[in-house]
Amino acid sequence: MVELHHDPARLTECEWQSMRQEAAELECAWQETYQALIEAAHAEPALRALYPFTSHWALRFSTTTRPRLTVVGPCLMANSDGTYGVVRHLSEDPDRFATAHEAVALAVRLLPPGLGPVAFGA
């Protein structure tokens, strides 16, 4: 049996599960919007295959696990007004969407081609 810490795919799966649980239990005004974003991203196979992480509640993706993340693709945000944002670079204004699924669809289109399986970020 492969141990969790020896399998980057299992680490990725566990990180997604932890993130989904955290989103469901979050106690804040924008909890439903944030949870919808996490669930929509998780439902998309291209994003679910990447290692998820957050920075200031913005959802990001990596092709490697912690501790050395290799950031790929855009950044997704759940806004306090119930909208969703997608930025390609943190210095730009986000594209805004009414639904999490619209934001996730753009994020998938912005992923670089040919991403392989998640690797260890050692």
Side-chain angles (χ1 to χ4, degrees), residues 66-108:
R66 294 182 193 277
R68 291 198 178 160
L69 298 173
T70 305
V71 179
V72 64
C75 175
L76 295 163
M77 297 164 290
N79 301 312
S80 60
D81 65 359
T83 63
Y84 300 88
V86 179
V87 294
R88 292 162 187 83
H89 305 284
L90 295 178
S91 61
E92 68 183 21
D93 289 331
D95 291 316
R96 292 196 177 263
F97 298 92
T99 71
H101 293 288
E102 291 171 313
V104 165
L106 176 59
V108 170

Side-chain angles (χ1 to χ4, degrees), residues 5-6 8 11 51 62-70 118-122:
H5 63 277
H6 292 296
L11 284 170
Y51 187 85
S62 175
T63 57
T64 56
T65 62
R66 294 182 193 277
R68 291 198 178 160
L69 298 173
T70 305
V118 172
F120 285 114

